[in-house]
Amino acid sequence: MRILVVDDEESILVPLEFLLKKAGHEVALARTGAEALRLLEEGPFDLLVLDLMLPDLDGFAVLERLPQGRKPRVLVLTARGREADRAKALALGAEAFMAKPFGIQDLLAEVQRLSEGL
């Protein structure tokens, strides 16, 4: 599965990249919403792991601007764990929502669940 991870924290990006690659996935990284949208335009991704708090466009803006056509499944992974944030992310098309801190096995299980049926 081809996965784009979007987060501005290196302490999240580096371990996620390692874990997802170790699980057999192809992984690309973006540190801003604008960079994520550019990468999504360049090539298809199966899954977008998206933080809501980014330095330029927030994750909600990224969800609203996803390229038309084959959209990736979206797992929101954020420190913003309020019910309103979850509801808004799901309304904008996210299929899963996990709050930080998160368990590695929980994350990998969610990635596996979202990969089924691709």
Side-chain angles (χ1 to χ4, degrees):
M1 186 163 59
R2 191 161 189 241
I3 302 172
L4 175 59
V5 179
V6 186
D7 201 303
D8 62 332
E9 295 180 47
E10 289 295 315
S11 62
I12 298 289
L13 280 178
V14 173
L16 277 181
E17 179 183 31
F18 174 79
L19 290 167
L20 293 169
K21 282 184 174 180
K22 186 176 178 184
H25 303 290
E26 181 183 338
V27 180
L29 304 176
R31 289 160 180 79
T32 67
E35 184 181 8
L37 291 172
R38 181 183 56 78
L39 289 169
L40 287 162
E41 286 286 345
E42 289 176 2
F45 286 88
D46 301 305
L47 178 64
L48 173 62
V49 178
L50 178 64
D51 187 14
L52 293 179
M53 297 185 296
L54 298 169
D56 57 353
L57 302 171
D58 68 15
F60 296 125
V62 173
L63 285 169
E64 290 170 340
R65 297 175 185 173
L66 285 176
Q68 295 304 310
R70 187 172 178 263
K71 292 184 180 182
R73 292 182 172 189
V74 179
L75 165 59
V76 171
L77 184 63
T78 183
R80 292 175 59 166
R82 298 181 326 200
E83 185 177 347
D85 293 325
R86 173 188 294 270
K88 184 174 181 179
L90 296 174
L92 290 172
E95 295 183 51
F97 189 100
M98 293 183 74
K100 296 175 186 174
F102 57 91
I104 292 169
Q105 294 305 317
D106 291 337
L107 175 75
L108 291 175
E110 195 64 25
V111 168
Q112 178 62 36
R113 183 187 72 80
L114 290 169
S115 72
E116 293 172 1
L118 288 178

